Amino acid sequence: MAKAGLLLLALVPLLSLLPSSPLALNQDFCIADLSATDTPAGYPCKPPASVTAYDFFYSGLGTSGPPLISKIALGSATVAKFPGVNGLAISTARMDMAPGGAAPLHSHPGGSELLYVLEGSIVSSFVSATLNKVYTKTLHKGDLMVLPQGQLHFQYNHGNDSAVTLSSFNSANPGLQVLDYALFANDIPAEIVSKVTNLDELQVIKLKALFGGSG
C-alpha cells in the first residue's frame, strides 16, 4: 500500500499536465466537424467511419503563408485548418519575416505560445499585464521563448536576412487579437477612441481610415 501511495503521489503532477479538454480524455480522438459550430470544448466530432489518415495530416506549413502587413507572412495549423488537433490542446503557426518586418502588438487569448527560431534572428518581447513590465530577448536560430497566454507581445526582424519562426500553442484555437485592429478597425466613434486612448481625434480618424474602421 505504501508503494501504491507513493506511485499515486508521483503521478499527480504528471496528470495535471494532461489536456483538460473532455474531448481529448474521453476518446482516442475527435476530428473536428468544421461544418458545425465551434464551442468552448471544441468542434463536434466527425463520424468515426468518415475519418481517414488525411485528418491527422497537414502540409500547409512547408512554405510561407499569405503575406500580411509589415513585411511578414503567416501560416497556421489551428483547428480551423487542421481538424485533427481538435480537443488536443495543440496547434502551431509559421511566420516568415523579411528584413525590417514586424509582427505588431497582439495577444492570444486562448493559449500560451512557445516561439522557436528556424532561420535568422529576431527580437521578441512581451508586456506583463500585471506589472506592465517589458521582457525582451534577441533570438537566434535554435532559440526558444515562451509568451504567456493573453499577454501583449511583438516580434521584429532587426537583421539583414529573412527570418522564419515556428510557434506551438497549448490550444487548438489560441485566437489572435491585434492591438491596432482592436483600436481602429471598428465602428467606435473617433471621438470616443480619442477619449479612451488620449490620442488626437484627427490622428484617430487617419488610423481608422488606414485600418478600415468607421465612425
Side-chain angles (χ1 to χ4, degrees), residues 129-210:
T130 302
L131 303 174
N132 203 38
K133 182 177 179 179
V134 181
Y135 299 89
T136 302
K137 191 74 175 115
T138 299
L139 306 178
H140 302 280
K141 181 178 180 180
D143 288 343
L144 284 165
M145 184 172 184
V146 65
L147 304 166
Q149 179 174 344
Q151 308 300 293
L152 284 169
H153 57 279
F154 63 88
Q155 292 87 31
Y156 64 89
N157 184 347
H158 68 306
N160 297 319
D161 300 315
S162 296
V164 182
T165 66
L166 190 68
S167 293
S168 298
F169 301 93
N170 63 340
S171 169
N173 185 17
L176 173 64
Q177 185 171 38
V178 179
L179 183 61
D180 290 341
Y181 284 95
L183 286 173
F184 307 116
N186 54 53
D187 59 359
I188 302 175
E191 178 185 2
I192 302 301
V193 177
S194 176
K195 288 181 182 298
V196 300
T197 61
N198 292 317
L199 293 172
D200 180 82
E201 187 173 341
L202 291 178
Q203 184 64 36
V204 171
I205 292 172
K206 292 179 181 178
L207 289 167
K208 277 182 164 289
L210 177 64

Side-chain angles (χ1 to χ4, degrees), residues 13-29:
L14 296 177
L15 292 173
S16 68
L17 298 177
L18 292 174
S20 59
S21 168
L23 297 178
L25 295 177
N26 292 340
Q27 53 204 64
D28 292 339
F29 52 79

Side-chain angles (χ1 to χ4, degrees), residues 52-88:
T52 72
Y54 284 97
D55 290 308
F56 303 96
F57 168 80
Y58 185 72
S59 61
L61 301 185
T63 57
S64 62
L68 302 176
I69 60 173
S70 304
K71 300 180 181 180
I72 66 171
L74 185 66
S76 63
T78 56
V79 65
K81 294 185 177 180
F82 189 11
V85 303
N86 188 47
L88 300 180

Side-chain angles (χ1 to χ4, degrees), residues 70-143:
S70 304
K71 300 180 181 180
I72 66 171
L74 185 66
S76 63
T78 56
V79 65
K81 294 185 177 180
F82 189 11
V85 303
N86 188 47
L88 300 180
I90 53 172
S91 60
T92 189
R94 168 180 170 157
M95 181 170 63
D96 292 71
M97 307 180 74
L105 267 171
H106 64 282
S107 66
H108 303 290
S112 297
E113 176 179 359
L114 191 61
L115 180 73
Y116 177 72
V117 179
L118 290 170
E119 297 291 342
S121 64
I122 65 168
V123 174
S124 181
S125 183
F126 79 89
V127 185
S128 166
T130 302
L131 303 174
N132 203 38
K133 182 177 179 179
V134 181
Y135 299 89
T136 302
K137 191 74 175 115
T138 299
L139 306 178
H140 302 280
K141 181 178 180 180
D143 288 343

